[in-house]
């Protein structure tokens, strides 16, 4: 019999009620006998100690329940913007989603960011307007805001009554007709439900909506295996457990992959992760035994697709152990955290023996600090948080280095051209050489040569002229060549190894970049600040001093909205000053708005790797 599965994400801004709704759905499906509470730290999905202490979700968590013959694998995600990378991984494995919006706080910038990503990926989505029991709940205003700020393609499935009281309830307009169901399943329409995850109002209706209005899939598990790892957990013995969604094919216990051999497998079904011998397309499995697995890895045939749906982290900080003797342990601990945690990206500076961590914000920093203390017994300090800039090439640069010359002691010729590309386009590596010139005895195939060179170029672009990652450019390989032991006298000599090319690439590329010149750009944020109308003057003056161009005030009675754009460091400064300026009444919301050239002296980041533009020092450090 075919098993029908729906992999369902619950997404929303922080505190909208995702975890509480998850708990209610599990209860309604009969998977749990008591409804746990976020406030008491007793829910199924906020299972980490840190989540329970703080009352927020930090990691995505999978639970499963059956409805109408469908296995729903529900993934509860964190809503705090500091943990957006955790949501990023989950997006790629969803068949459908429920976006929760608080009936009191309404549509927030984070809601917009999530909804846009879901729409870009064509993920069918239901909306649940939660907290109708809370005083101030205004579902009509929320419906308007949804139409204006999220999508006009909405269909209210009922109305809410007895608002703002424990008796608040959802009155359904009746079951959806076949056409509505079809269009909702295709992601063209978004049915809207109202309710309260706390009291359970409207939950039964959403539950039915999940079964009827989202596309569950049935698959026999034929075809080649294609599966994606979206979460890694460590078991009690430190073993890695990989959460994997199968897109096609079948996976068995004892299957072998580059990352290791599957020693045990559990599939989410009937409210639990059940031990099985195989997992089929559509299902989510927990896999044991893959010692080398990392988040984002594919098992079997990879599927392409956009990887980045959200803004990158824009902050970083150097982490040091309080006890200098703990340096090595800290390195290992952070390395392990980075492997299992899509949020953590580390940069190791071997020259200074420092490690820095990229960050989305202060809450994430606190979580890393607490995790190192709780799980590794490591006490650490974070130095000042700084902004991560990028470098964009200003024009075209091209360099060719011939082998066995004073400026190129490596055994290969290499030519690279660097051209600027559109902002936001990332890095593209192209090949304009005769495949026969490539050292195929090292790389076997031209395809493999291209893959390696692509990687070397990207590594070399990690640190540009000012030490920042170079991006928004095209790099073209214009020349490749090497000598032969028995070649003509002018081209006779040792053949290159892969390491030769790894070390030569930064040397050539940075010279091309020096010719092209680079512009350092800083992350910008669109902000909207809501402040008491009587302090608009001082707030505008402060924004002016921070360099914000033309904030337009729009008064709404006692409160006024100010919208403008600010670079990341100035946004931090505004956040620090706003409480003082507004008597604690001001709120600022921000959304990443791309990079812009810094005004004034560009900041320089200390290089973590040897500088290829200082030839002698470079060669001394990397060795021939
Ligand atoms: N009054 C009321 N409170 C609710 C409702 N749903 C959730 N809450 C409360 O809102 C707070 C946040 O709820 P959570 O379920 O943790 O919200 P979340 O979206 O999972 O939060 P993050 O995972 O941290 O983003 C808790 O104090 C809940 O008790 C509701 O329908 N009504
Ligand atoms: Mg939560």
């Amino acid at each position: 019999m075919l098993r029908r599965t729906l992999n369902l994400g619950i997404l929303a801004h922080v505190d909208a009620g995702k975890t509480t709704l998850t708990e209610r759905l599990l209860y309604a499906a009969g998977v749990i006998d008591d409804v746990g509470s976020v406030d008491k730290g007793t829910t199924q999905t906020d299972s980490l100690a840190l989540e329970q202490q703080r009352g927020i979700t930090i990691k995505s968590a999978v639970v499963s329940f059956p409805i109408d013959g469908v296995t729903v694998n529900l993934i509860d995600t964190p809503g705090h913007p500091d943990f957006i990378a955790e949501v990023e991984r989950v997006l790629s494995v969803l068949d459908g989603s429920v976006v929760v919006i608080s009936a009191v706080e309404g549509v927030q910038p984070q809601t917009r960011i999530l909804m846009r990503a879901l729409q870009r990926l064509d993920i069918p989505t239901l909306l649940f307007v939660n907290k109708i029991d809370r005083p101030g709940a205004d579902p009509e205003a929320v419906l308007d805001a949804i139409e204006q700020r999220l999508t006009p393609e909405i269909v209210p499935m009922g109305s809410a009554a007895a608002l703002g009281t424990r008796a608040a309830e959802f009155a359904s307009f009746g079951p959806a007709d076949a056409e509505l169901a079809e269009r909702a399943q295709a992601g063209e329409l978004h049915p809207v439900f109202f309710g309260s995850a706390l009291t359970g109002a409207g939950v039964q209706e959403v539950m039915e909506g999940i079964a009827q209005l989202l596309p569950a899939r049935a698959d026999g598990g034929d075809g080649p295996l294609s599966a994606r790892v979206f979460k890694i957990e460590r078991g009690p013995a430190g073993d890695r457990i990989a959460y994997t969604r199968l897109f096609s094919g079948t996976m068995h216990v004892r299957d072998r992959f580059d990352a290791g051999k599957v020693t045990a497998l559990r599939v989410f079904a009937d409210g639990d992760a059940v031990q099985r011998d195989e997992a089929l397309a559509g299902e989510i499995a927990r896999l044991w035994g893959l010692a080398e697995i990392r988040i984002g890895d594919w098992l079997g045939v990879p599927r392409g697709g956009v990887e980045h749906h959200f803004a990158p982290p824009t902050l970083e900080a150097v982490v040091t152990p309080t006890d200098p003797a703990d340096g090595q342990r800290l390195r290992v601990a952070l390395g392990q955290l980075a492997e299992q945690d899509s949020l953590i990206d580390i940069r190791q500076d071997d020259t200074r023996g420092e490690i820095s961590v990229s960050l989305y914000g202060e809450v994430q920093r606190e979580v890393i600090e607490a995790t190192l203390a709780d799980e590794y017994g490591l006490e650490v300090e974070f130095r000042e948080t700084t902004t991560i800039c990028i470098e964009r090439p200003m024009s075209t640069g091209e360099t060719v280095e011939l082998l066995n010359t004073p400026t190129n002691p490596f055994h290969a010729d290499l030519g690279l051209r660097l051209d600027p590309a559109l902002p936001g386009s990332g890095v593209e590596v192209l090949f304009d050489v005769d495949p026969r010139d490539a050292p195929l005895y090292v790389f076997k195939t031209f395809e493999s040569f291209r893959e390696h060179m692509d990687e070397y170029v990207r590594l070399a672009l990690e640190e540009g002229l000012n030490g920042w990652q170079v991006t928004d450019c095209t790099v073209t390989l214009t020349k490749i060549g090497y000598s032969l032991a028995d070649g003509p006298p002018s081209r006779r000599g040792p053949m290159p190894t892969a390491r030769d090319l790894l070390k030569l690439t930064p040397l050539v590329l940075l010279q091309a970049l020096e010719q092209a010149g680079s512009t350092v750009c800083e992350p910008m944020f669109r902000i909207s600040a809501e402040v008491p109308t009587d302090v608009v003057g001082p707030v505008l003056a402060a924004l002016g001093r921070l360099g914000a161009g033309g904030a337009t005030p729009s008064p709404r009675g006692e409160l006024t909205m100010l919208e403008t754009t600010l670079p990341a460091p100035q946004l931090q400064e505004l956040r620090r000053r706003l409480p003082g300026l507004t008597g604690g009444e001001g709120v600022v919301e921000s959304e990443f708005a791309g990079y812009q050239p810094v005004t004034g002296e560009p900041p320089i980041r200390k290089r973590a790797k040897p500088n290829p533009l200082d030839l002698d020092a470079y060669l001394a450090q990397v060795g021939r």
Side-chain angles (χ1 to χ4, degrees), residues 15 17-20 22 38 45-46 51 55-58 76-79:
D15 268 356
K18 297 174 288 298
T19 301
T20 310
T22 301
V38 171
T45 47
D46 281 356
E51 295 180 317
I56 59 167
T57 304
I58 295 167
D76 180 18
T77 63

Side-chain angles (χ1 to χ4, degrees), residues 299-337:
L299 297 170
V301 187
R303 297 189 161 197
V306 203
E307 285 297 318
H308 293 289
H309 312 291
F310 301 119
T314 57
L315 302 169
E316 66 182 345
V318 171
V319 202
T320 50
T322 311
D323 179 352
D326 280 338
Q328 184 53 24
R329 280 181 57 223
L330 176 60
R331 221 177 307 255
V332 172
L334 281 173
Q336 280 189 4
L337 288 184

Side-chain angles (χ1 to χ4, degrees), residues 348-353 409-410 463 499 503 507 607-624:
Q348 198 150 315
D349 179 341
D350 292 327
T351 348
R352 274 177 297 275
F410 304 103
E463 298 186 338
R499 292 189 79 77
K503 293 171 180 180
L507 209 64
R607 301 184 66 90
K609 298 191 276 195
N611 184 358
L613 291 174
D614 183 348
L615 186 65
D616 294 340
Y618 182 76
L619 294 178
Q621 283 188 63
V622 304
R624 154 58 267 299

Side-chain angles (χ1 to χ4, degrees), residues 119-180:
Q119 285 175 323
R120 226 177 292 137
L121 289 164
D122 275 333
I123 297 174
T125 298
L126 311 182
L127 301 172
F128 182 66
V129 178
N130 188 30
K131 305 198 183 184
I132 59 168
D133 62 299
R134 261 183 58 189
D138 189 349
E140 286 304 316
V142 176
L143 267 187
D144 282 348
I146 292 173
E147 270 188 312
Q148 290 185 13
R149 300 173 64 194
L150 295 184
T151 166
E153 308 300 335
I154 56 171
V155 185
M157 300 301 288
S159 61
L163 293 173
T165 69
R166 292 287 292 186
E169 57 178 10
F170 177 67
S172 169
F173 293 153
D177 61 34
E179 193 201 330
L180 172 69

Side-chain angles (χ1 to χ4, degrees), residues 3 220-227 244 246 248-257 260-267 275-281 283 285-290 299-300:
R3 308 174 204 153
D222 306 331
L225 176 69
S226 176
T244 309
L246 280 81
S248 74
T250 306
M251 187 180 299
H252 309 88
V253 176
R254 287 185 291 282
D255 277 354
R256 277 178 190 283
F257 301 97
K261 179 174 140 187
V262 179
T263 53
L265 180 159
R266 280 175 181 266
V267 172
Q275 185 126 23
R276 291 248 188 89
D277 291 332
E278 61 174 31
L280 301 183
E283 295 181 321
R286 297 175 80 198
L287 307 176
W288 278 259
L290 302 177
L299 297 170

